[in-house]
Amino acid sequence: MRPKLQAGEFGSYGELAGRPLPEHLTLVFVPSLAALLTKARELNGAALTEKQVLAIRDGSKVMVVDHDSARAVEEKRGYADVDAANAWQSWLQLPESQS
């Protein structure tokens, strides 16, 4: 059995997402997944494919934090990040002005 995640752990989403996450904790992308995908789209010069979005998500760094800290990060950023569990659909629905 894989050990439960603990507040303060840091690593790639692909590494940490497969471990049990206690209810009071969440994963926060640093920097935001929306910002990473937007930059990738700009560098790509075209829309990203689902495969690209998922690869970027899985390789991006996240930190394990409590829900209050996650809300504080979201408030500071001024927007809700892409939903990692449903990254492709969430990315497609993100307004370009927000990303």
Side-chain angles (χ1 to χ4, degrees), residues 42-53:
E42 291 170 4
L43 292 172
N44 194 40
L48 299 173
T49 65
E50 181 176 7
K51 185 176 180 179
Q52 289 170 316
V53 168

Side-chain angles (χ1 to χ4, degrees), residues 22-96:
E23 284 187 31
H24 67 285
L25 298 176
T26 190
L27 300 175
V28 173
F29 284 85
V30 182
S32 73
L33 184 54
L36 293 167
L37 293 172
T38 298
K39 184 66 174 176
R41 179 182 61 206
E42 291 170 4
L43 292 172
N44 194 40
L48 299 173
T49 65
E50 181 176 7
K51 185 176 180 179
Q52 289 170 316
V53 168
L54 298 180
I56 291 166
R57 176 202 63 188
D58 291 348
S60 297
K61 298 298 181 193
V62 293
M63 181 175 227
V64 182
V65 300
D66 61 69
H67 291 290
D68 290 339
S69 297
R71 276 191 292 277
V73 168
E74 186 175 301
E75 286 177 17
K76 186 174 181 179
R77 287 178 177 162
Y79 59 90
D81 201 1
V82 170
D83 175 16
N86 193 19
W88 176 242
Q89 287 301 319
S90 183
W91 169 244
L92 292 177
Q93 294 172 2
L94 190 71
E96 280 205 33

